[in-house]
């Protein structure tokens, strides 16, 4: 799951980072890594199902850049690359705005595509938080499983998203 996140960042960071003359080439890889860390930290901070639903709704409405969680992730990413790599504020803002919302939109959109075999947003969040998104139990794991069901990822119709659904996606 995290490898897919890294691949999305690499694909979408090519123009924003690698081909950006304002970014020294020796920092390209580290900036991409920082984008991954910022996204993972932001997803870790999504402690309630309302935040995940809000992100999904923002993507569906085409307003992902206005989502408070996306703004926070982008701002943290900007601050980190400015501080760690000496990137100026306008370049950092440009990189963040062309990378973070795009990657998060693609994650959510792949999760929304039924049978896509792509991202399961609940599983991604669970993997970065150390929780479990299987079953319909209580707590964050149970909430994420029910959110995944609402996103069309419940392939066996049992009301949650678990290994059985993953198996059915690939059959």
């Amino acid at each position: 799951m995290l490898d897919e996140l890294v691949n999305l960042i690499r694909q979408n960071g090519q123009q924003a980072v690698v081909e950006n003359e304002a970014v020294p080439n020796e920092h390209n890889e580290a900036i991409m890594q920082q984008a991954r860390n910022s996204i993972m930290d932001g997803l870790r901070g999504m402690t309630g199902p309302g935040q995940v639903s809000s992100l999904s709704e923002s993507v569906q409405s085409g307003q992902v850049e206005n989502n408070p969680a996306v703004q926070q992730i982008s701002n943290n990413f900007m601050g980190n690359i400015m501080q760690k790599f000496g990137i100026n504020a306008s370049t950092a803002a440009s990189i963040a705005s062309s990378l973070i919302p795009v990657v998060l939109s693609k994650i959510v959109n792949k999760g929304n595509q039924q049978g896509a075999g792509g991202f399961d947003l609940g599983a991604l969040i669970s993997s970065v938080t150390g929780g479990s998104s299987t079953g319909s139990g209580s707590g964050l794991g149970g909430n994420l499983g029910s959110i995944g069901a609402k996103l069309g990822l419940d392939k066996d119709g049992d009301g949650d998203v678990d290994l059985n659904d993953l198996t059915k996606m690939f059959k």
Side-chain angles (χ1 to χ4, degrees):
M1 188 67 61
L2 294 178
D3 290 340
E4 292 178 57
L5 174 61
V6 170
N7 288 335
L8 268 180
I9 291 169
R10 285 187 194 281
Q11 292 167 4
N12 294 283
Q14 182 67 31
Q15 184 175 4
V17 177
V18 177
E19 296 172 10
N20 189 332
E21 293 179 11
V23 176
N25 288 335
E26 64 267 15
H27 296 313
N28 290 344
E29 190 63 34
I31 289 173
M32 301 266 207
Q33 182 69 30
Q34 189 60 55
R36 177 181 124 353
N37 292 344
S38 295
I39 290 171
M40 288 176 51
D41 289 345
L43 293 176
R44 259 187 222 109
M46 291 184 172
T47 56
Q51 290 174 310
V52 177
S53 295
S54 172
L55 177 59
S56 182
E57 290 168 10
S58 295
V59 168
Q60 291 173 359
S61 70
Q63 300 295 319
V64 69
E65 63 278 347
N66 295 330
N67 182 280
V70 174
Q71 290 174 349
Q72 182 176 2
I73 293 168
S74 294
N75 289 338
N76 289 341
F77 174 63
M78 281 175 35
N80 286 333
I81 64 174
M82 288 169 55
Q83 179 183 18
K84 293 179 180 182
F85 308 109
I87 304 297
N88 70 49
S90 64
T91 300
S94 173
I95 293 169
S97 68
S98 62
L99 188 59
I100 302 299
V102 172
V103 169
L104 288 170
S105 290
K106 288 184 178 185
I107 290 169
V108 172
N109 281 331
K110 284 187 176 190
N112 286 341
Q113 294 172 357
Q114 292 192 14
F119 275 90
D120 175 347
L121 184 58
L124 179 62
I125 292 173
S126 181
S127 71
V128 299
T129 60
S132 170
S133 66
T134 59
S136 58
S138 62
L140 182 59
N143 289 335
L144 292 174
S146 66
I147 290 168
K150 290 177 184 170
L151 293 174
L153 301 172
D154 181 14
K155 301 301 178 191
D156 60 4
D158 64 355
D160 66 0
V161 178
D162 55 17
L163 187 57
N164 294 330
D165 300 301
L166 182 63
T167 303
K168 289 192 182 279
M169 281 184 200
F170 292 105
K171 285 187 176 181

